[in-house]
Amino acid sequence: MSKDIDPPLTQLSIKTSEGGFYNGFATSVAVPGKIIISSLCVWAIFWPIQSGAVLNGMNSFILQNFAAWYVWVVAFFVAVCLGLAIWPTGGRMNLGLEGEKPEFGNFSWFSMMFGAGIGVGMLTWSVAEPVYHFQNNPDVIKGLATASGADNVMNAYKWSYLHWGLAAWACYAVAGLCLAFFTYRRGLPLTIRSALTPLFGRHLSGVLGHIIDIVAVIATILGVAQTLGFGVAQFAAGLTRIGIGGLTDAEGAVTTFGIITALLVIMGASTLSALSGVGKGIKWLSNINMGLSIILLTFFILFGATFFGFQAMTVGLFDYLVATPAMLVTVWGNDGVEGSVAAQLAGWQGSWTVFYWAWWIAFAPFVGLFLARISRGRTIREFVLGAMIVPALMCFVWFAWAGGTAIDLELNGTANGSIFGAPDGDKIFAMTTLMLQPISEILSWGMSLLIVVLLMTFLVTSADSAVLIVNTINAAGDEGPKARPHILFWGVALGVVVAGLLVSGGTSAIQTAMVIGALPFSAVMVLMCISLLKAIWNDGRRQRAGVATTHDKIEGASAPVLGAGIPAE
């Protein structure tokens, strides 16, 4: 057989402990990950001023020097995904064995994708973000639209859709696609390092592979911490709305007591759910939050700004699609002149677009691994189009009718600034209270309670899924049951990271830590894309030469041996 068409790598040994406390875990990944996260917790809690200053300094450095990297790298992910969908050789390849069928039907598949990627964010940002961009966005800064004016409504949606549309889901799709391809087609471990085998081969069994998985663990914890940080503030605001006092101050900001209370409830419930496993707690909670989501969204569509939301959905979507190519690659540089248009544009991009791209990248190991697990048996084309387009459309529906109702209430004077003035996490509560309180205090209280319950189920499922996925990476891709102490550790660690960063610097501290943590993983994701493209190209050549491309067709693939020779990709 010619060297350039050797079979692909189908054995990647990752050394795990065979007894003791870390039985079944790769200690070279699990221990360093725990040490880094524990150090961050101690630093943020006991030296809050110093940690805040250092994190802010690092954040400023990244925004000055790596903003363009974040913008262009996400544009690259979008291009890779769309290219794979239209590439005949790649598009028709199965994310599994040849002829294997999907485990889940389309409806269940789409529902799980939506819940995994953006459930918590919808409750905060589907109202808060369009409202914010209605008041200020790049078009306003450049003098092309009026802040809070009717001529700025579609601009607000154009920028909101940018952050929650194709670009966001391309980040998830890249991670999920690589994991599914190399795990279910190649038979490699379900862990991040497996996606780089065409580039580094057997070297991934050693230090290089350990570093890649550690980076993925850190990014996952910080990405989920970002989600929980916003969710905790909103959860405390919701508890205040239903009559529990002491959780927020006079301005509506969450107090330290509110942070601790909310985290104890959320992390306690999520840890119990994680201990029960995917088949019980997580599945049960996912069914609840899907049902409640449908009820809440139906309420906004029927009783909110129905026609206004329809315009935001259709006209806003058209404007977004037309402007997307330019928005994806435009980088605004800071000219150093305080208050100048260039400085304002660079500041806006750093606070919004760069922040979101870092968030989605940090969240990608978590969502990507989940997408891989539910997408086995689908073609690459099915996966890319399904994972990018359908969930993005669901985001647009939420933004159009939830955010559209808020903007309409402010435009027609009904809200009189009450939605504008509410904290981000409280905006959805302020809006529903404004809609229902004149009709019935009980209905208003009941809707706030529904949102609080929905928020808690989303937060709990995000946290417990993250704990299980971090443990899967730490256990060299083993998806089986994990020891309780390790589940408890990551549950507590996640809560302490959120609490420590919130107390030391609010949600901005979590945002800063997440932007920093996502930077190295963004480089890993670029390598994952190159690796996948190389693997698909070579598989096309193998198929034409009659060489096997899946692990079930390659002799010895099902029996990996530590230290055995591995054929080159």
Side-chain angles (χ1 to χ4, degrees):
M1 183 181 296
S2 174
K3 183 179 179 182
D4 62 344
I5 52 171
D6 282 349
L9 185 154
T10 55
Q11 300 175 22
L12 183 64
S13 298
I14 304 173
K15 187 176 180 180
T16 57
S17 295
E18 297 181 358
F21 182 73
Y22 281 98
N23 183 38
F25 284 82
T27 54
S28 300
V29 176
V31 174
K34 288 182 177 180
I35 290 173
I36 293 171
I37 291 297
S38 299
S39 300
L40 177 62
C41 294
V42 171
W43 187 42
I45 291 172
F46 291 100
W47 291 277
I49 297 175
Q50 181 197 53
S51 61
V54 172
L55 287 173
N56 285 332
M58 294 176 68
N59 188 54
S60 298
F61 176 81
I62 288 174
L63 292 181
Q64 289 174 3
N65 297 279
F66 290 95
W69 164 262
Y70 272 119
V71 171
W72 291 332
V73 84
V74 171
F76 172 65
F77 296 155
V78 174
V80 167
C81 288
L82 295 179
L84 286 172
I86 63 176
W87 184 11
T89 300
R92 64 172 177 263
M93 284 188 181
N94 193 312
L95 296 174
L97 305 180
E98 297 301 331
E100 189 170 356
K101 299 299 181 183
E103 180 181 356
F104 301 100
N106 287 338
F107 179 79
S108 297
W109 186 50
F110 294 143
S111 298
M112 287 188 285
M113 281 194 295
F114 176 76
I118 42 81
V120 176
M122 285 296 91
L123 294 179
T124 300
W125 297 110
S126 64
V127 176
E129 185 160 351
V131 166
Y132 181 91
H133 296 327
F134 178 55
Q135 298 172 282
N136 187 46
N137 61 60
D139 296 289
V140 172
I141 294 171
K142 291 187 287 187
L144 303 177
T146 307
S148 304
D151 64 331
N152 195 39
V153 171
M154 292 306 136
N155 291 325
Y157 278 94
K158 177 178 70 176
W159 293 105
S160 297
Y161 290 167
L162 169 69
H163 297 146
W164 291 80
L166 298 179
W169 288 93
C171 296
Y172 296 161
V174 162
L177 187 57
C178 290
L179 287 166
F181 184 93
F182 290 102
T183 299
Y184 302 126
R185 190 173 177 86
R186 293 285 198 262
L188 298 173
L190 184 59
T191 187
I192 304 300
R193 72 176 79 186
S194 295
L196 300 182
T197 49
L199 300 180
F200 302 109
R202 72 180 68 189
H203 298 293
L204 292 168
S205 290
V207 174
L208 178 61
H210 302 332
I211 292 173
I212 289 166
D213 282 347
I214 291 168
V215 167
V217 167
I218 303 305
T220 299
I221 291 296
L222 293 178
V224 176
Q226 177 68 62
T227 299
L228 293 178
F230 284 129
V232 162
Q234 189 173 31
F235 188 61
L239 292 176
T240 301
R241 289 277 181 178
I242 62 175
I244 300 176
L247 305 181
T248 56
D249 59 22
E251 286 74 38
V254 63
T255 62
T256 301
F257 174 72
I259 292 171
I260 294 171
T261 301
L263 279 173
L264 285 174
V265 173
I266 293 165
M267 298 312 301
S270 67
T271 303
L272 289 174
S273 178
L275 288 170
S276 71
V278 177
K280 296 180 181 178
I282 297 176
K283 180 180 179 181
W284 183 69
L285 287 170
S286 296
N287 290 336
I288 292 177
N289 61 38
M290 184 55 66
L292 294 179
S293 295
I294 292 172
I295 293 172
L296 183 59
L297 183 58
T298 302
F299 168 76
F300 288 133
I301 292 174
L302 295 180
F303 302 105
T306 305
F307 181 69
F308 190 100
F310 179 76
Q311 281 187 305
M313 181 66 191
T314 53
V315 180
L317 181 56
F318 176 80
D319 290 349
Y320 158 70
L321 292 174
V322 170
T324 288
M327 290 192 297
L328 278 176
V329 298
T330 298
V331 179
W332 286 300
N334 192 336
D335 61 4
V337 179
E338 187 175 352
S340 67
V341 170
Q344 290 182 65
L345 287 172
W348 185 93
Q349 189 169 50
S351 297
W352 286 96
T353 305
V354 173
F355 155 66
Y356 268 122
W357 291 176
W359 192 3
W360 303 146
I361 288 169
F363 223 50
F366 163 49
V367 181
L369 197 148
F370 178 77
L371 291 182
R373 290 175 64 176
I374 65 173
S375 302
R376 180 170 185 167
R378 293 190 178 273
T379 66
I380 289 177
R381 184 174 293 112
E382 277 184 299
F383 180 92
V384 169
L385 297 179
M388 283 183 67
I389 295 175
V390 176
L393 287 173
M394 284 301 300
C395 291
F396 299 158
V397 169
W398 269 91
F399 274 74
W401 274 279
T405 298
I407 292 176
D408 189 47
L409 289 170
E410 288 288 2
L411 266 179
N412 63 33
T414 302
N416 196 28
S418 61
I419 299 175
F420 283 164
D424 289 337
D426 195 40
K427 279 182 167 58
I428 190 170
F429 294 105
M431 180 177 71
T432 54
T433 298
L434 189 68
M435 294 169 67
L436 291 173
Q437 202 165 48
I439 302 172
S440 168
E441 289 275 357
I442 296 177
L443 280 178
S444 176
W445 182 88
M447 182 57 72
S448 294
L449 178 63
L450 183 149
I451 296 172
V452 167
V453 174
L454 177 58
L455 178 63
M456 188 178 79
T457 59
F458 272 133
L459 288 169
V460 169
T461 51
S462 294
D464 60 14
S465 297
V467 168
L468 291 174
I469 283 170
V470 164
N471 272 322
T472 297
I473 297 173
N474 286 335
D478 180 10
E479 301 176 64
K482 304 296 186 297
R484 289 174 178 265
H486 299 286
I487 292 176
L488 291 171
F489 172 85
W490 286 111
V492 172
L494 188 54
V496 174
V497 167
V498 175
L501 291 173
L502 281 177
V503 170
S504 66
T507 53
S508 62
I510 302 181
Q511 175 179 333
T512 298
M514 185 268 300
V515 169
I516 296 167
L519 185 59
F521 191 69
S522 67
V524 172
M525 287 183 63
V526 170
L527 293 175
M528 290 168 70
C529 289
I530 296 171
S531 176
L532 179 64
L533 293 172
K534 180 182 178 182
I536 293 173
W537 173 264
N538 284 337
D539 273 9
R541 294 170 60 234
R542 291 185 182 103
Q543 287 175 345
R544 290 190 294 273
V547 178
T549 60
T550 57
H551 66 90
D552 66 320
K553 301 288 179 61
I554 299 172
E555 185 178 354
S558 61
V561 179
L562 184 61
I566 298 171
E569 177 66 38

